[in-house]
Amino acid sequence: FFFQAEDGIRDFCLSRGLGDVYKRQTWGGDEEAFQQIRPILQAYSIEQILFGGPGSGQSTKATMQILLASSLYGTCEGLIYAGRAGLNQQKVVEIIKDGAAKCYALSFYGLSLIHI
């Protein structure tokens, strides 16, 4: 979005989706201008993070999407293997989701993926 600063117009890019919706937001833009509008941002999100210049917030979001996609792919492959090995997939999810192989994809999507 754009806003009028004393010395000109500033623009910021917002990336939603890091954490729960509207709780954590990443931004790209000018540091000084970011501090000026931060009180406004705090009205609708718990945490605001400035990653750098314009585009940095979107690049952070893209990084998260790449990591989530690879994690979700591995979760699907693991559950397919468990099913083909004759294991109870629901028990596998319940046991593994809090162990060393835990990840968001398994904890959040694991049980839903079994029924696809």
Side-chain angles (χ1 to χ4, degrees):
F1 72 87
F2 298 94
F3 77 97
Q4 178 66 46
E6 287 183 21
D7 60 344
I9 294 177
R10 298 281 188 258
D11 67 320
F12 283 91
C13 63
L14 163 65
S15 172
R16 292 187 182 139
L18 297 177
D20 295 329
V21 176
Y22 300 109
K23 288 188 178 178
R24 182 179 303 147
Q25 297 179 334
T26 60
W27 293 83
D30 178 67
E31 172 72 34
E32 183 180 335
F34 177 74
Q35 294 306 326
Q36 290 175 352
I37 64 166
R38 196 166 201 172
I40 298 167
L41 304 178
Q42 290 171 336
Y44 64 91
S45 67
I46 293 172
E47 186 175 6
Q48 311 81 35
I49 305 163
L50 181 66
F51 273 90
S56 299
Q58 294 300 322
S59 294
T60 303
K61 172 74 173 181
T63 301
M64 189 230 14
Q65 293 295 332
I66 293 165
L67 293 170
L68 179 58
S70 63
S71 178
L72 189 54
Y73 178 80
T75 297
C76 292
E77 287 292 321
L79 292 174
I80 289 169
Y81 173 79
R84 290 184 179 167
L87 301 174
N88 179 321
Q89 292 169 309
Q90 187 168 348
K91 285 184 180 180
V92 168
V93 170
E94 292 299 321
I95 292 168
I96 294 177
K97 73 177 185 173
D98 294 322
K102 71 180 174 183
C103 65
Y104 179 82
L106 181 62
S107 298
F108 191 78
Y109 298 114
L111 296 176
S112 298
L113 292 170
I114 292 170
H115 303 292
I116 293 178

